[in-house]
Amino acid sequence: NNPKQLWKSVNLIRGKGSKTTNVSSLKIDEETITGDKNIAEAFNSFFVSVGPSLSQSLPESQKSYSDYVQHPTLNTFSFSEVSENDTLKLLCGLKESKAAGPDKINTKLVKDSAEVICPTLTKIFNRSLQQGIFPEELKTAFVSPIYKNGDKSDCSNYRPISILSTIAKILEKTVYNQLISYINENNILSGNQFGFRKSHSTVTSLLNATSNWLLNIDKGLINGVLFLDLRKAFDTVDHIILIEKLKLYGITGGALKWFISYLEKRYQTCKMNNVKSSRKLIKCGVPQGSNLGPLLFLLYVNDLPNCLDQAKPSMFADDTNISVSAESVDELEEKLNTDLSNIYQWLVENKLTLNVSKTEYMIIGSRNNLSKINVDPTIKIGGDSINRVKTTKSLGVVIDDKLRWEDHIDSISKKVSSGIGAIKLIKPYVPKDCLNQIYNALVQPYFDYCSL
């Protein structure tokens, strides 16, 4: 009768701990940080400084970021009046399980009082859009460090997730709905972008890429595929560049003023081990966990395909690969290095940083064509060599250089075995309907994902 306790037991059996891992110490510049308050302060300082630090380490740019932005429309975006019905729909659609933000207003309370607060909230939202001001009280976020992998004492191995005010998220969703309609009507987003878009997904992104690779293999060609890894992409978005790009996409006047207000003077407090840090100013980046953050990021990187001469990109937000086809290794090397040079220049202009150690390239082709490659081509970006791999994981799928999918099947088999093992252990203690829930959560998704 206690779902939380059930899943806690299942995760314990599987050796899966909570994502919000408690941290006992951090290492920063050879110094060991201990104590909950000090750890929370260290995380907060790291998260707000990572963007400016990476930006300062970049070389001087030779071009302007605006050179890459194509002007897709002569239309301009302006806000429409928000109706009470619009606000009520968003209030009634709230997920009650979401945590309360810095204002400590419970999501369930907001949802239960929807009809009462709807008229007042609608007036506040309309006033905000008319005056071009995002309320200061809604600009503070709690940030929770979510462990990814690697050394747990290294701040860079954590992802900051923003916990925002419920009211702020509703206002953001109101703006999002109007902005995405304008973007879709004017075909602003690149056709190579599959992230955070209606009728697009990781599946369509992978289908697009693998279909092109297979078509080239059928033509007797080899594919050179570069899997890019951007360092702290969402956290390093430059606000000035983002605002200028919004202008180029037709977002001007009062609407632009609102987005400037939304981005400036934002603060965050890090919450770790149930202890809060002091409040710090955010100088760059878009908040992860917000409704507008992902869409603003898509607009920020939307012009990346325009820097390429020969490669074809496939993008899912910040997860990007570029592909070229060639008849020989020498031709492939030349094409990849040419566009890698273009990408490097684009990254510098946009104050984004490539994580070279996690960026990889793969040569995909038939067994016969791959057997003819005796020496790995030299692929470099900014003077750093990129490693060649024969398998890699992209958007949850293990890709191999012959597209045989054996490694992916092995990966799925291990995960399914783990889920079945947990079911076997817990089977004597729970009813059948609970076992079905566990199976549908731990086993079935691995069969369904990217299964066509």
Side-chain angles (χ1 to χ4, degrees), residues 395-441:
L395 300 178
V397 172
V398 180
I399 298 171
D400 64 274
D401 60 359
K402 300 180 188 70
L403 298 184
R404 296 179 62 116
W405 309 113
E406 292 171 352
D407 294 285
H408 182 62
I409 292 168
D410 288 342
S411 175
I412 287 178
S413 297
K414 290 175 183 176
K415 291 174 180 176
V416 166
S417 295
S418 172
I420 291 174
I423 292 172
K424 282 183 178 179
L425 288 171
I426 208 167
K427 183 178 178 181
Y429 310 106
V430 297
K432 187 177 179 180
D433 60 334
C434 285
L435 290 176
N436 286 335
Q437 287 181 17
I438 296 170
Y439 175 84
N440 289 330

mmCIF file of all heavy atoms in Angstrom, residues 395-441:
data_model
loop_
_atom_site.group_PDB
_atom_site.id
_atom_site.type_symbol
_atom_site.label_atom_id
_atom_site.label_comp_id
_atom_site.label_asym_id
_atom_site.label_seq_id
_atom_site.Cartn_x
_atom_site.Cartn_y
_atom_site.Cartn_z
ATOM 1 N N LEU A 395 22.072 9.027 -27.550
ATOM 2 C CA LEU A 395 20.642 9.112 -27.246
ATOM 3 C C LEU A 395 20.079 7.781 -26.750
ATOM 4 O O LEU A 395 18.976 7.360 -27.099
ATOM 5 C CB LEU A 395 19.865 9.586 -28.480
ATOM 6 C CG LEU A 395 20.256 10.967 -29.025
ATOM 7 C CD1 LEU A 395 19.446 11.290 -30.274
ATOM 8 C CD2 LEU A 395 20.048 12.041 -27.971
ATOM 9 N N GLY A 396 20.881 7.086 -25.932
ATOM 10 C CA GLY A 396 20.410 5.851 -25.303
ATOM 11 C C GLY A 396 20.567 4.600 -26.139
ATOM 12 O O GLY A 396 20.158 3.520 -25.710
ATOM 13 N N VAL A 397 21.156 4.722 -27.330
ATOM 14 C CA VAL A 397 21.354 3.557 -28.205
ATOM 15 C C VAL A 397 22.845 3.367 -28.454
ATOM 16 O O VAL A 397 23.561 4.331 -28.748
ATOM 17 C CB VAL A 397 20.605 3.749 -29.549
ATOM 18 C CG1 VAL A 397 20.969 2.647 -30.537
ATOM 19 C CG2 VAL A 397 19.107 3.759 -29.306
ATOM 20 N N VAL A 398 23.312 2.116 -28.339
ATOM 21 C CA VAL A 398 24.715 1.805 -28.614
ATOM 22 C C VAL A 398 24.871 1.595 -30.118
ATOM 23 O O VAL A 398 24.254 0.702 -30.706
ATOM 24 C CB VAL A 398 25.168 0.547 -27.853
ATOM 25 C CG1 VAL A 398 26.637 0.254 -28.164
ATOM 26 C CG2 VAL A 398 24.969 0.734 -26.359
ATOM 27 N N ILE A 399 25.679 2.446 -30.737
ATOM 28 C CA ILE A 399 25.899 2.400 -32.189
ATOM 29 C C ILE A 399 27.266 1.784 -32.459
ATOM 30 O O ILE A 399 28.251 2.156 -31.815
ATOM 31 C CB ILE A 399 25.820 3.815 -32.790
ATOM 32 C CG1 ILE A 399 24.415 4.402 -32.559
ATOM 33 C CG2 ILE A 399 26.149 3.804 -34.274
ATOM 34 C CD1 ILE A 399 24.306 5.875 -32.914
ATOM 35 N N ASP A 400 27.328 0.848 -33.390
ATOM 36 C CA ASP A 400 28.611 0.249 -33.774
ATOM 37 C C ASP A 400 28.941 0.631 -35.215
ATOM 38 O O ASP A 400 28.074 1.062 -35.972
ATOM 39 C CB ASP A 400 28.559 -1.272 -33.619
ATOM 40 C CG ASP A 400 27.560 -1.916 -34.548
ATOM 41 O OD1 ASP A 400 26.364 -1.995 -34.182
ATOM 42 O OD2 ASP A 400 27.960 -2.336 -35.649
ATOM 43 N N ASP A 401 30.206 0.460 -35.589
ATOM 44 C CA ASP A 401 30.660 0.972 -36.880
ATOM 45 C C ASP A 401 30.171 0.184 -38.097
ATOM 46 O O ASP A 401 30.386 0.595 -39.234
ATOM 47 C CB ASP A 401 32.187 1.098 -36.911
ATOM 48 C CG ASP A 401 32.906 -0.226 -36.679
ATOM 49 O OD1 ASP A 401 32.219 -1.249 -36.476
ATOM 50 O OD2 ASP A 401 34.153 -0.236 -36.699
ATOM 51 N N LYS A 402 29.495 -0.961 -37.849
ATOM 52 C CA LYS A 402 28.919 -1.724 -38.965
ATOM 53 C C LYS A 402 27.389 -1.700 -38.943
ATOM 54 O O LYS A 402 26.736 -2.332 -39.779
ATOM 55 C CB LYS A 402 29.426 -3.171 -38.935
ATOM 56 C CG LYS A 402 30.940 -3.319 -39.052
ATOM 57 C CD LYS A 402 31.346 -4.783 -39.003
ATOM 58 C CE LYS A 402 32.862 -4.924 -38.921
ATOM 59 N NZ LYS A 402 33.397 -4.489 -37.614
ATOM 60 N N LEU A 403 26.833 -0.997 -37.945
ATOM 61 C CA LEU A 403 25.377 -0.903 -37.750
ATOM 62 C C LEU A 403 24.736 -2.288 -37.676
ATOM 63 O O LEU A 403 23.686 -2.548 -38.267
ATOM 64 C CB LEU A 403 24.738 -0.074 -38.880
ATOM 65 C CG LEU A 403 25.184 1.397 -38.987
ATOM 66 C CD1 LEU A 403 24.410 2.120 -40.087
ATOM 67 C CD2 LEU A 403 25.023 2.127 -37.652
ATOM 68 N N ARG A 404 25.369 -3.167 -36.892
ATOM 69 C CA ARG A 404 24.835 -4.524 -36.698
ATOM 70 C C ARG A 404 24.001 -4.630 -35.425
ATOM 71 O O ARG A 404 23.271 -5.597 -35.242
ATOM 72 C CB ARG A 404 25.981 -5.526 -36.660
ATOM 73 C CG ARG A 404 26.752 -5.624 -37.977
ATOM 74 C CD ARG A 404 27.889 -6.615 -37.854
ATOM 75 N NE ARG A 404 27.360 -7.957 -37.571
ATOM 76 C CZ ARG A 404 27.488 -8.985 -38.393
ATOM 77 N NH1 ARG A 404 28.087 -8.826 -39.550
ATOM 78 N NH2 ARG A 404 27.011 -10.151 -38.065
ATOM 79 N N TRP A 405 24.169 -3.690 -34.509
ATOM 80 C CA TRP A 405 23.361 -3.551 -33.293
ATOM 81 C C TRP A 405 23.594 -4.654 -32.255
ATOM 82 O O TRP A 405 22.851 -4.762 -31.288
ATOM 83 C CB TRP A 405 21.854 -3.489 -33.635
ATOM 84 C CG TRP A 405 21.564 -2.468 -34.687
ATOM 85 C CD1 TRP A 405 21.128 -2.704 -35.951
ATOM 86 C CD2 TRP A 405 21.733 -1.053 -34.583
ATOM 87 N NE1 TRP A 405 21.013 -1.524 -36.656
ATOM 88 C CE2 TRP A 405 21.368 -0.487 -35.835
ATOM 89 C CE3 TRP A 405 22.147 -0.196 -33.559
ATOM 90 C CZ2 TRP A 405 21.415 0.871 -36.090
ATOM 91 C CZ3 TRP A 405 22.197 1.165 -33.821
ATOM 92 C CH2 TRP A 405 21.829 1.675 -35.068
ATOM 93 N N GLU A 406 24.640 -5.448 -32.426
ATOM 94 C CA GLU A 406 24.912 -6.524 -31.467
ATOM 95 C C GLU A 406 25.269 -5.960 -30.092
ATOM 96 O O GLU A 406 24.847 -6.489 -29.058
ATOM 97 C CB GLU A 406 26.039 -7.416 -31.988
ATOM 98 C CG GLU A 406 25.638 -8.232 -33.224
ATOM 99 C CD GLU A 406 26.811 -8.934 -33.863
ATOM 100 O OE1 GLU A 406 27.971 -8.670 -33.432
ATOM 101 O OE2 GLU A 406 26.599 -9.731 -34.797
ATOM 102 N N ASP A 407 26.059 -4.887 -30.071
ATOM 103 C CA ASP A 407 26.448 -4.276 -28.792
ATOM 104 C C ASP A 407 25.240 -3.672 -28.083
ATOM 105 O O ASP A 407 25.144 -3.714 -26.848
ATOM 106 C CB ASP A 407 27.509 -3.198 -29.021
ATOM 107 C CG ASP A 407 28.817 -3.781 -29.540
ATOM 108 O OD1 ASP A 407 29.536 -4.389 -28.745
ATOM 109 O OD2 ASP A 407 29.088 -3.637 -30.748
ATOM 110 N N HIS A 408 24.319 -3.099 -28.860
ATOM 111 C CA HIS A 408 23.110 -2.533 -28.256
ATOM 112 C C HIS A 408 22.242 -3.640 -27.656
ATOM 113 O O HIS A 408 21.697 -3.481 -26.558
ATOM 114 C CB HIS A 408 22.320 -1.742 -29.300
ATOM 115 C CG HIS A 408 21.083 -1.098 -28.747
ATOM 116 N ND1 HIS A 408 21.121 -0.139 -27.758
ATOM 117 C CD2 HIS A 408 19.766 -1.303 -29.026
ATOM 118 C CE1 HIS A 408 19.892 0.238 -27.456
ATOM 119 N NE2 HIS A 408 19.056 -0.455 -28.212
ATOM 120 N N ILE A 409 22.126 -4.744 -28.369
ATOM 121 C CA ILE A 409 21.340 -5.874 -27.870
ATOM 122 C C ILE A 409 21.945 -6.415 -26.575
ATOM 123 O O ILE A 409 21.229 -6.721 -25.613
ATOM 124 C CB ILE A 409 21.247 -6.978 -28.938
ATOM 125 C CG1 ILE A 409 20.391 -6.498 -30.115
ATOM 126 C CG2 ILE A 409 20.659 -8.261 -28.355
ATOM 127 C CD1 ILE A 409 20.447 -7.376 -31.339
ATOM 128 N N ASP A 410 23.284 -6.511 -26.532
ATOM 129 C CA ASP A 410 23.952 -6.977 -25.307
ATOM 130 C C ASP A 410 23.664 -6.027 -24.143
ATOM 131 O O ASP A 410 23.415 -6.465 -23.007
ATOM 132 C CB ASP A 410 25.469 -7.056 -25.526
ATOM 133 C CG ASP A 410 25.859 -8.220 -26.426
ATOM 134 O OD1 ASP A 410 25.021 -9.133 -26.589
ATOM 135 O OD2 ASP A 410 26.989 -8.214 -26.956
ATOM 136 N N SER A 411 23.690 -4.713 -24.429
ATOM 137 C CA SER A 411 23.422 -3.712 -23.392
ATOM 138 C C SER A 411 22.006 -3.845 -22.859
ATOM 139 O O SER A 411 21.777 -3.815 -21.637
ATOM 140 C CB SER A 411 23.647 -2.311 -23.962
ATOM 141 O OG SER A 411 23.295 -1.315 -23.035
ATOM 142 N N ILE A 412 21.047 -4.000 -23.768
ATOM 143 C CA ILE A 412 19.652 -4.159 -23.361
ATOM 144 C C ILE A 412 19.471 -5.436 -22.542
ATOM 145 O O ILE A 412 18.771 -5.451 -21.516
ATOM 146 C CB ILE A 412 18.727 -4.182 -24.597
ATOM 147 C CG1 ILE A 412 18.603 -2.791 -25.198
ATOM 148 C CG2 ILE A 412 17.333 -4.707 -24.228
ATOM 149 C CD1 ILE A 412 17.759 -2.736 -26.447
ATOM 150 N N SER A 413 20.105 -6.515 -22.987
ATOM 151 C CA SER A 413 19.966 -7.812 -22.307
ATOM 152 C C SER A 413 20.416 -7.720 -20.847
ATOM 153 O O SER A 413 19.772 -8.266 -19.945
ATOM 154 C CB SER A 413 20.784 -8.877 -23.032
ATOM 155 O OG SER A 413 20.300 -9.065 -24.340
ATOM 156 N N LYS A 414 21.523 -6.996 -20.607
ATOM 157 C CA LYS A 414 22.017 -6.845 -19.240
ATOM 158 C C LYS A 414 21.039 -6.065 -18.370
ATOM 159 O O LYS A 414 20.796 -6.412 -17.211
ATOM 160 C CB LYS A 414 23.378 -6.154 -19.255
ATOM 161 C CG LYS A 414 24.501 -7.023 -19.820
ATOM 162 C CD LYS A 414 25.801 -6.246 -19.915
ATOM 163 C CE LYS A 414 26.890 -7.102 -20.561
ATOM 164 N NZ LYS A 414 28.154 -6.338 -20.745
ATOM 165 N N LYS A 415 20.458 -5.013 -18.942
ATOM 166 C CA LYS A 415 19.514 -4.189 -18.179
ATOM 167 C C LYS A 415 18.216 -4.953 -17.900
ATOM 168 O O LYS A 415 17.646 -4.865 -16.811
ATOM 169 C CB LYS A 415 19.217 -2.896 -18.937
ATOM 170 C CG LYS A 415 20.411 -1.955 -18.992
ATOM 171 C CD LYS A 415 20.145 -0.750 -19.865
ATOM 172 C CE LYS A 415 21.352 0.174 -19.910
ATOM 173 N NZ LYS A 415 21.158 1.315 -20.820
ATOM 174 N N VAL A 416 17.749 -5.699 -18.897
ATOM 175 C CA VAL A 416 16.538 -6.499 -18.721
ATOM 176 C C VAL A 416 16.771 -7.577 -17.665
ATOM 177 O O VAL A 416 15.918 -7.824 -16.815
ATOM 178 C CB VAL A 416 16.110 -7.127 -20.070
ATOM 179 C CG1 VAL A 416 15.072 -8.214 -19.849
ATOM 180 C CG2 VAL A 416 15.555 -6.051 -21.001
ATOM 181 N N SER A 417 17.954 -8.202 -17.697
ATOM 182 C CA SER A 417 18.282 -9.244 -16.709
ATOM 183 C C SER A 417 18.278 -8.679 -15.297
ATOM 184 O O SER A 417 17.815 -9.327 -14.350
ATOM 185 C CB SER A 417 19.651 -9.851 -17.021
ATOM 186 O OG SER A 417 19.635 -10.527 -18.253
ATOM 187 N N SER A 418 18.776 -7.438 -15.164
ATOM 188 C CA SER A 418 18.786 -6.793 -13.850
ATOM 189 C C SER A 418 17.364 -6.586 -13.341
ATOM 190 O O SER A 418 17.061 -6.836 -12.171
ATOM 191 C CB SER A 418 19.518 -5.460 -13.944
ATOM 192 O OG SER A 418 19.396 -4.726 -12.748
ATOM 193 N N GLY A 419 16.465 -6.122 -14.241
ATOM 194 C CA GLY A 419 15.072 -5.913 -13.853
ATOM 195 C C GLY A 419 14.372 -7.202 -13.498
ATOM 196 O O GLY A 419 13.631 -7.281 -12.495
ATOM 197 N N ILE A 420 14.597 -8.240 -14.286
ATOM 198 C CA ILE A 420 13.971 -9.544 -14.016
ATOM 199 C C ILE A 420 14.496 -10.119 -12.700
ATOM 200 O O ILE A 420 13.750 -10.723 -11.921
ATOM 201 C CB ILE A 420 14.229 -10.511 -15.190
ATOM 202 C CG1 ILE A 420 13.451 -10.041 -16.422
ATOM 203 C CG2 ILE A 420 13.813 -11.935 -14.822
ATOM 204 C CD1 ILE A 420 13.734 -10.831 -17.679
ATOM 205 N N GLY A 421 15.781 -9.905 -12.442
ATOM 206 C CA GLY A 421 16.364 -10.374 -11.187
ATOM 207 C C GLY A 421 15.702 -9.721 -9.989
ATOM 208 O O GLY A 421 15.422 -10.388 -8.972
ATOM 209 N N ALA A 422 15.430 -8.410 -10.098
ATOM 210 C CA ALA A 422 14.755 -7.703 -8.997
ATOM 211 C C ALA A 422 13.347 -8.237 -8.796
ATOM 212 O O ALA A 422 12.884 -8.400 -7.652
ATOM 213 C CB ALA A 422 14.718 -6.209 -9.307
ATOM 214 N N ILE A 423 12.648 -8.545 -9.891
ATOM 215 C CA ILE A 423 11.288 -9.087 -9.805
ATOM 216 C C ILE A 423 11.299 -10.448 -9.114
ATOM 217 O O ILE A 423 10.440 -10.751 -8.276
ATOM 218 C CB ILE A 423 10.658 -9.181 -11.209
ATOM 219 C CG1 ILE A 423 10.402 -7.776 -11.766
ATOM 220 C CG2 ILE A 423 9.358 -9.981 -11.179
ATOM 221 C CD1 ILE A 423 9.962 -7.754 -13.212
ATOM 222 N N LYS A 424 12.269 -11.288 -9.454
ATOM 223 C CA LYS A 424 12.366 -12.614 -8.835
ATOM 224 C C LYS A 424 12.556 -12.519 -7.325
ATOM 225 O O LYS A 424 11.954 -13.267 -6.548
ATOM 226 C CB LYS A 424 13.533 -13.388 -9.453
ATOM 227 C CG LYS A 424 13.243 -13.991 -10.810
ATOM 228 C CD LYS A 424 14.434 -14.805 -11.290
ATOM 229 C CE LYS A 424 14.138 -15.460 -12.632
ATOM 230 N NZ LYS A 424 15.312 -16.238 -13.120
ATOM 231 N N LEU A 425 13.412 -11.577 -6.905
ATOM 232 C CA LEU A 425 13.698 -11.439 -5.472
ATOM 233 C C LEU A 425 12.502 -10.927 -4.681
ATOM 234 O O LEU A 425 12.276 -11.313 -3.535
ATOM 235 C CB LEU A 425 14.891 -10.503 -5.276
ATOM 236 C CG LEU A 425 16.264 -11.066 -5.670
ATOM 237 C CD1 LEU A 425 17.320 -9.988 -5.629
ATOM 238 C CD2 LEU A 425 16.659 -12.218 -4.729
ATOM 239 N N ILE A 426 11.733 -10.027 -5.318
ATOM 240 C CA ILE A 426 10.633 -9.394 -4.579
ATOM 241 C C ILE A 426 9.306 -10.124 -4.763
ATOM 242 O O ILE A 426 8.330 -9.850 -4.065
ATOM 243 C CB ILE A 426 10.513 -7.912 -5.004
ATOM 244 C CG1 ILE A 426 9.918 -7.069 -3.873
ATOM 245 C CG2 ILE A 426 9.701 -7.749 -6.287
ATOM 246 C CD1 ILE A 426 10.055 -5.584 -4.072
ATOM 247 N N LYS A 427 9.264 -11.076 -5.696
ATOM 248 C CA LYS A 427 8.023 -11.776 -6.054
ATOM 249 C C LYS A 427 7.276 -12.378 -4.862
ATOM 250 O O LYS A 427 6.043 -12.258 -4.773
ATOM 251 C CB LYS A 427 8.334 -12.867 -7.086
ATOM 252 C CG LYS A 427 7.105 -13.604 -7.587
ATOM 253 C CD LYS A 427 7.483 -14.645 -8.644
ATOM 254 C CE LYS A 427 6.249 -15.421 -9.102
ATOM 255 N NZ LYS A 427 6.612 -16.444 -10.114
ATOM 256 N N PRO A 428 7.952 -13.034 -3.906
ATOM 257 C CA PRO A 428 7.204 -13.654 -2.790
ATOM 258 C C PRO A 428 6.522 -12.671 -1.858
ATOM 259 O O PRO A 428 5.681 -13.062 -1.050
ATOM 260 C CB PRO A 428 8.297 -14.449 -2.045
ATOM 261 C CG PRO A 428 9.435 -14.562 -2.998
ATOM 262 C CD PRO A 428 9.393 -13.334 -3.824
ATOM 263 N N TYR A 429 6.872 -11.389 -1.968
ATOM 264 C CA TYR A 429 6.422 -10.437 -0.953
ATOM 265 C C TYR A 429 5.404 -9.408 -1.450
ATOM 266 O O TYR A 429 4.901 -8.609 -0.650
ATOM 267 C CB TYR A 429 7.638 -9.682 -0.378
ATOM 268 C CG TYR A 429 8.754 -10.596 0.051
ATOM 269 C CD1 TYR A 429 9.913 -10.697 -0.705
ATOM 270 C CD2 TYR A 429 8.638 -11.381 1.203
ATOM 271 C CE1 TYR A 429 10.948 -11.555 -0.324
ATOM 272 C CE2 TYR A 429 9.657 -12.233 1.591
ATOM 273 C CZ TYR A 429 10.812 -12.315 0.823
ATOM 274 O OH TYR A 429 11.827 -13.160 1.198
ATOM 275 N N VAL A 430 5.117 -9.395 -2.750
ATOM 276 C CA VAL A 430 4.203 -8.376 -3.273
ATOM 277 C C VAL A 430 3.134 -9.029 -4.149
ATOM 278 O O VAL A 430 3.363 -10.092 -4.742
ATOM 279 C CB VAL A 430 4.956 -7.302 -4.106
ATOM 280 C CG1 VAL A 430 5.942 -6.551 -3.245
ATOM 281 C CG2 VAL A 430 5.665 -7.929 -5.292
ATOM 282 N N PRO A 431 1.947 -8.411 -4.252
ATOM 283 C CA PRO A 431 0.877 -8.960 -5.099
ATOM 284 C C PRO A 431 1.211 -8.856 -6.590
ATOM 285 O O PRO A 431 2.113 -8.121 -6.990
ATOM 286 C CB PRO A 431 -0.335 -8.101 -4.751
ATOM 287 C CG PRO A 431 0.227 -6.836 -4.181
ATOM 288 C CD PRO A 431 1.505 -7.210 -3.523
ATOM 289 N N LYS A 432 0.431 -9.560 -7.403
ATOM 290 C CA LYS A 432 0.694 -9.656 -8.834
ATOM 291 C C LYS A 432 0.618 -8.302 -9.537
ATOM 292 O O LYS A 432 1.417 -8.010 -10.436
ATOM 293 C CB LYS A 432 -0.304 -10.622 -9.480
ATOM 294 C CG LYS A 432 -0.014 -10.921 -10.938
ATOM 295 C CD LYS A 432 -0.980 -11.943 -11.507
ATOM 296 C CE LYS A 432 -0.684 -12.201 -12.987
ATOM 297 N NZ LYS A 432 -1.614 -13.200 -13.563
ATOM 298 N N ASP A 433 -0.339 -7.451 -9.140
ATOM 299 C CA ASP A 433 -0.467 -6.156 -9.815
ATOM 300 C C ASP A 433 0.769 -5.282 -9.585
ATOM 301 O O ASP A 433 1.178 -4.518 -10.468
ATOM 302 C CB ASP A 433 -1.734 -5.425 -9.363
ATOM 303 C CG ASP A 433 -1.759 -5.149 -7.866
ATOM 304 O OD1 ASP A 433 -1.112 -5.910 -7.127
ATOM 305 O OD2 ASP A 433 -2.420 -4.184 -7.454
ATOM 306 N N CYS A 434 1.405 -5.430 -8.417
ATOM 307 C CA CYS A 434 2.646 -4.694 -8.159
ATOM 308 C C CYS A 434 3.782 -5.229 -9.030
ATOM 309 O O CYS A 434 4.609 -4.466 -9.537
ATOM 310 C CB CYS A 434 3.035 -4.796 -6.693
ATOM 311 S SG CYS A 434 2.023 -3.780 -5.601
ATOM 312 N N LEU A 435 3.813 -6.544 -9.211
ATOM 313 C CA LEU A 435 4.831 -7.142 -10.077
ATOM 314 C C LEU A 435 4.678 -6.647 -11.503
ATOM 315 O O LEU A 435 5.668 -6.392 -12.202
ATOM 316 C CB LEU A 435 4.735 -8.669 -10.038
ATOM 317 C CG LEU A 435 5.149 -9.348 -8.726
ATOM 318 C CD1 LEU A 435 4.896 -10.852 -8.803
ATOM 319 C CD2 LEU A 435 6.614 -9.077 -8.413
ATOM 320 N N ASN A 436 3.424 -6.506 -11.949
ATOM 321 C CA ASN A 436 3.181 -5.974 -13.295
ATOM 322 C C ASN A 436 3.691 -4.538 -13.428
ATOM 323 O O ASN A 436 4.274 -4.164 -14.446
ATOM 324 C CB ASN A 436 1.688 -6.024 -13.621
ATOM 325 C CG ASN A 436 1.197 -7.429 -13.907
ATOM 326 O OD1 ASN A 436 1.982 -8.287 -14.316
ATOM 327 N ND2 ASN A 436 -0.082 -7.686 -13.680
ATOM 328 N N GLN A 437 3.460 -3.744 -12.389
ATOM 329 C CA GLN A 437 3.951 -2.358 -12.390
ATOM 330 C C GLN A 437 5.474 -2.318 -12.473
ATOM 331 O O GLN A 437 6.053 -1.533 -13.233
ATOM 332 C CB GLN A 437 3.496 -1.632 -11.118
ATOM 333 C CG GLN A 437 2.020 -1.271 -11.095
ATOM 334 C CD GLN A 437 1.650 -0.533 -9.815
ATOM 335 O OE1 GLN A 437 2.517 -0.031 -9.102
ATOM 336 N NE2 GLN A 437 0.373 -0.470 -9.523
ATOM 337 N N ILE A 438 6.113 -3.186 -11.695
ATOM 338 C CA ILE A 438 7.579 -3.229 -11.688
ATOM 339 C C ILE A 438 8.105 -3.668 -13.058
ATOM 340 O O ILE A 438 9.058 -3.094 -13.590
ATOM 341 C CB ILE A 438 8.088 -4.177 -10.576
ATOM 342 C CG1 ILE A 438 7.690 -3.627 -9.203
ATOM 343 C CG2 ILE A 438 9.597 -4.356 -10.660
ATOM 344 C CD1 ILE A 438 7.924 -4.590 -8.062
ATOM 345 N N TYR A 439 7.452 -4.678 -13.657
ATOM 346 C CA TYR A 439 7.866 -5.154 -14.983
ATOM 347 C C TYR A 439 7.727 -4.031 -16.022
ATOM 348 O O TYR A 439 8.628 -3.803 -16.831
ATOM 349 C CB TYR A 439 7.021 -6.348 -15.406
ATOM 350 C CG TYR A 439 7.309 -6.811 -16.824
ATOM 351 C CD1 TYR A 439 8.359 -7.679 -17.088
ATOM 352 C CD2 TYR A 439 6.553 -6.344 -17.898
ATOM 353 C CE1 TYR A 439 8.655 -8.075 -18.382
ATOM 354 C CE2 TYR A 439 6.844 -6.727 -19.198
ATOM 355 C CZ TYR A 439 7.888 -7.594 -19.431
ATOM 356 O OH TYR A 439 8.179 -7.967 -20.714
ATOM 357 N N ASN A 440 6.594 -3.334 -15.981
ATOM 358 C CA ASN A 440 6.340 -2.260 -16.950
ATOM 359 C C ASN A 440 7.312 -1.087 -16.781
ATOM 360 O O ASN A 440 7.563 -0.331 -17.727
ATOM 361 C CB ASN A 440 4.905 -1.759 -16.840
ATOM 362 C CG ASN A 440 3.906 -2.768 -17.373
ATOM 363 O OD1 ASN A 440 4.221 -3.542 -18.277
ATOM 364 N ND2 ASN A 440 2.704 -2.776 -16.817
ATOM 365 N N ALA A 441 7.860 -0.951 -15.568
ATOM 366 C CA ALA A 441 8.793 0.148 -15.303
ATOM 367 C C ALA A 441 10.250 -0.241 -15.550
ATOM 368 O O ALA A 441 11.037 0.563 -16.044
ATOM 369 C CB ALA A 441 8.637 0.636 -13.863
#
